Amino acid sequence: MTSLGSITDVAGIRVGHHQRIDPDATLGSGWASGVTVVLAPPGTVGAVDGRGGAPGTRETDLLDPANSVRWVDAVVLAGGSAYGLAAADGVMTWLEQQGRGVALDGGVVPIVPAAVIFDLPVGGWDRRPTADFGYAAAVAAAGPDGIRPASGSVGAGTGARAGVFKGGVGTASTTVEVGEQTVTVGAIVVVNPTGDVIDHTTGLPWSTLLIEEFGLTAPPSEQLSVLAGLEPKSLALNTTIAVVATDAVLSPAGCRRMAIAAQDGLARTIRPSHTPVDGDTVFALSTGTVDVPTVPGTPDAMSPETGLITAVGAAAADCLARAVLSGLLEADSIAGIPTYPGTLPGVFANRPTDGAGGA
């Protein structure tokens, strides 16, 4: 089984993490939070779709296709609940130093949408990301191109939980043939839902396709008994946030449709998703380096983008679903929160040694 890939397989997209972790932290005491920055190349079009009832976001209204700003410079994913939105200030400072942003008389204004997860009870209410965290993550994102970003308990996924298990950051990518062009689609996600990624009856993911792709098998009954004894997390610990990206040329409206379609990846892997206590938010980015002509067979009455949007939207949903499971598999225990691989090691009994994701 080959690697899942990464959102950085979309040329020009870079990812940086910054986190603070106290190795001896217990639940609610000690640092366990961080920031993930997705740095976009100049000229990147952006959009967003929110499905949760409790979002924590910044600059999302600006991404409405009806509004004036055309480009996105970076997207911030952070822990710390609404306090963590301050991390975007640090990213703006770094971008300003690079001369990135909307050029105005006297300077530039970087466009940096952001979304946060609620992780305060994991590390502590007074231990949340600041502008310095955002600046450090932006510096990390500006490192060498083409490097797969770290996954698991890093960046914004440091204090994440997914049901009874430790959540984290996951990423994946794929390519899709659209007409005569090859388009790359990628996703990165911070997995911190109120719902479960794992069916407690079987100990396996909800999606049969993902079970097969990741080479998982049903764990023995004694491990399922351990799972049954884990204490569910509070409904207040919530929200899955993500970025999907493509190198295909998309309009702002096309990007919005891609974000909408990508939300299906959350619905396939998390039950329930998009709840009143989740702030599920998906950003979509188009770097615009691959120009796809009208897909043959597109009705004249429809937008020329219709076939392309359909293809990249489906690919984005697939990538996001794989990234969610990857984030769960690659997470390390922090503050005593158990991991999925550590609790149910039997699911890997038949897994190839070079399988996707990490245990």
Side-chain angles (χ1 to χ4, degrees):
M1 192 181 305
T2 58
S3 168
L4 287 174
S6 162
I7 191 173
T8 56
D9 292 331
V10 178
I13 296 291
R14 297 186 180 188
V15 173
H17 303 297
H18 183 74
Q19 61 278 328
R20 182 173 173 184
I21 303 171
D22 290 343
D24 58 350
T26 57
L27 197 62
S29 177
W31 272 94
S33 194
V35 174
T36 297
V37 170
V38 179
L39 188 62
T44 296
V45 175
V48 66
D49 182 70
R51 297 293 171 97
T57 57
R58 168 171 167 163
E59 297 284 30
T60 51
D61 284 351
L62 202 63
L63 299 183
D64 188 317
N67 290 334
S68 300
V69 172
R70 299 177 64 191
W71 316 127
V72 171
D73 297 300
V75 176
V76 174
L77 308 176
S81 190
Y83 296 106
L85 292 172
D89 292 340
V91 180
M92 289 187 69
T93 297
W94 183 87
L95 287 164
E96 182 185 27
Q97 293 171 352
Q98 317 309 310
R100 289 284 306 273
V102 177
L104 300 169
D105 290 342
V108 297
V109 179
I111 305 303
V112 185
V116 294
I117 65 168
F118 187 83
D119 62 355
L120 296 176
V122 175
W125 282 76
D126 59 346
R127 297 170 175 87
R128 60 243 186 180
T130 63
D132 290 342
F133 277 61
Y135 189 96
V139 171
D145 196 9
I147 295 179
R148 187 183 194 275
S151 297
S153 301
V154 296
T158 301
R161 297 181 69 177
V164 297
F165 294 124
K166 183 70 181 68
V169 172
T171 187
S173 69
T174 191
T175 57
V176 59
E177 301 299 319
V178 186
E180 298 182 356
Q181 299 283 358
T182 300
V183 171
T184 303
V185 177
I188 189 166
V189 61
V190 183
V191 187
N192 185 64
T194 291
D196 289 304
V197 179
I198 300 303
D199 180 351
H200 286 217
T201 302
T202 65
L204 292 168
W206 299 105
S207 168
T208 301
L209 292 176
L210 288 178
I211 293 171
E212 295 174 354
E213 180 178 0
F214 282 74
L216 306 180
T217 189
S221 58
E222 59 267 25
Q223 293 178 13
L224 287 175
S225 296
V226 174
L227 172 60
L230 295 180
E231 182 178 353
K233 74 172 187 175
S234 166
L235 284 177
L237 288 164
N238 55 68
T239 298
T240 299
I241 51 179
V243 179
V244 295
T246 182
D247 53 9
V249 176
L250 291 177
S251 67
C255 262
R256 174 72 191 283
R257 293 306 313 179
M258 179 182 176
I260 291 170
Q263 290 271 14
D264 290 347
L266 301 185
R268 294 176 198 167
T269 50
I270 301 167
R271 295 188 184 181
S273 58
H274 310 147
T275 73
V277 294
D278 283 287
D280 298 342
T281 301
V282 176
F283 296 94
L285 302 175
S286 163
T287 62
T289 59
V290 178
D291 192 4
V292 180
T294 302
V295 177
T298 302
D300 292 339
M302 293 186 177
S303 165
E305 284 189 300
T306 300
L308 172 61
I309 294 169
T310 300
V312 298
D318 290 341
C319 279
L320 192 48
R322 295 161 69 211
V324 167
L325 186 53
S326 173
L328 191 74
L329 291 173
E330 298 192 27
D332 296 317
S333 179
I334 290 179
I337 304 170
T339 67
Y340 175 50
T343 305
L344 301 172
V347 300
F348 304 108
N350 298 325
R351 191 179 184 192
T353 56
D354 63 344

